Amino acid sequence: MSGREEVLARLRAARGAQPPGPAEVPRDYRPAGAAVDLDLLVERLTDYRATVHRCAEPEVPRVVDTVLGGRRIVVPPALPRRWLPPSVTAVTDDDLTTAQIAATDGVVTAAAVAVAETGTIVLDGAPDQGRRVITLLPDVHLCVLRAEQVVAGVPDAVARLDPRRPLTWISGPSATSDIELNRVEGVHGPRNLHVVLLAP
């Protein structure tokens, strides 16, 4: 018996009898359908250094004006124009180049779903959310979120989403840390995330 065979024989003996197949993994430990806590979503987003504005839909233009007034912004093709105040110069993304998008000061989008437990907002590339690139290059991302789009946990979000769509999961502004653990914001996306949570 070679050294290799002896080592393998000892390992087999130490492990003992093996089960006939892989163990069954329980999948009912985290069902969808839990109650939604909007305050928890706000708390999580704030922890991630996002700014949350709670208001009714008619107040959205006022919030956009406060955050982006006097600036040039990019918007997806189907964003409701009633959300935009006259103080912003809105450029619709009709296949803008990356240079044109990067030259804007911010972006305003809608969202597909948000997860209260994790403070995560998901965009799925729908016409009111646009291409992923428009949410990565501008310095400010203002995302309008309806209360009914908020779910309790990740299983609830996955149940609502179409996996064939381009999904972007956002948890706060873009941030990373260097080797000395110094936080740097804006490296992989916007430095500032504003979430407008519309009252139910």
Side-chain angles (χ1 to χ4, degrees), residues 73-84 90-96 101 107-110 125-135 165:
I73 64 170
V74 61
V75 296
L79 186 83
R81 292 302 194 246
R82 65 183 179 275
W83 290 352
L84 302 177
V91 180
T92 302
D93 176 35
D94 50 2
D95 290 326
L96 297 173
I101 296 167
V107 59
V108 177
T109 72
D128 61 354
Q129 298 156 51
R131 298 185 296 157
R132 186 170 187 254
V133 68
I134 69 171
T135 65
R165 295 192 64 82

Side-chain angles (χ1 to χ4, degrees), residues 8-198:
L8 291 175
R10 287 183 186 177
L11 288 172
R12 286 188 199 98
R15 288 177 58 197
Q18 296 301 303
E24 191 65 34
V25 178
R27 298 291 182 192
D28 59 349
Y29 58 91
R30 197 64 187 278
V36 175
D37 183 349
L38 293 178
D39 292 330
L40 179 61
L41 173 68
V42 172
E43 179 184 323
R44 295 287 195 258
L45 286 167
T46 304
D47 282 347
Y48 291 140
R49 299 188 186 182
T51 303
V52 180
H53 310 266
R54 295 179 88 159
C55 67
E57 185 165 4
E59 299 174 76
V60 172
R62 177 188 55 79
V63 176
V64 174
D65 177 61
T66 301
V67 176
L68 291 164
R71 295 173 156 182
R72 191 165 178 269
I73 64 170
V74 61
V75 296
L79 186 83
R81 292 302 194 246
R82 65 183 179 275
W83 290 352
L84 302 177
S87 60
V88 298
T89 302
V91 180
T92 302
D93 176 35
D94 50 2
D95 290 326
L96 297 173
T97 66
T98 54
Q100 290 171 316
I101 296 167
T104 62
D105 301 305
V107 59
V108 177
T109 72
V113 70
V115 182
E117 184 179 39
T118 61
T120 305
I121 296 170
V122 186
L123 309 180
D124 68 0
D128 61 354
Q129 298 156 51
R131 298 185 296 157
R132 186 170 187 254
V133 68
I134 69 171
T135 65
L136 296 177
L137 297 179
D139 191 50
V140 179
H141 180 189
L142 189 146
C143 183
V144 181
L145 178 67
R146 299 179 191 283
E148 61 268 20
Q149 293 177 302
V150 181
V151 297
V154 173
D156 302 277
V158 171
R160 285 195 184 190
L161 295 166
D162 181 348
R164 295 166 297 183
R165 295 192 64 82
L167 303 177
T168 303
W169 297 65
I170 303 167
S171 294
S174 168
T176 189
S177 295
D178 62 18
I179 196 166
E180 295 174 350
L181 299 182
N182 294 318
R183 182 181 168 101
V184 180
E185 296 177 346
V187 176
H188 311 296
R191 283 186 305 131
N192 301 286
L193 175 64
H194 290 260
V195 178
V196 182
L197 180 57
L198 301 182

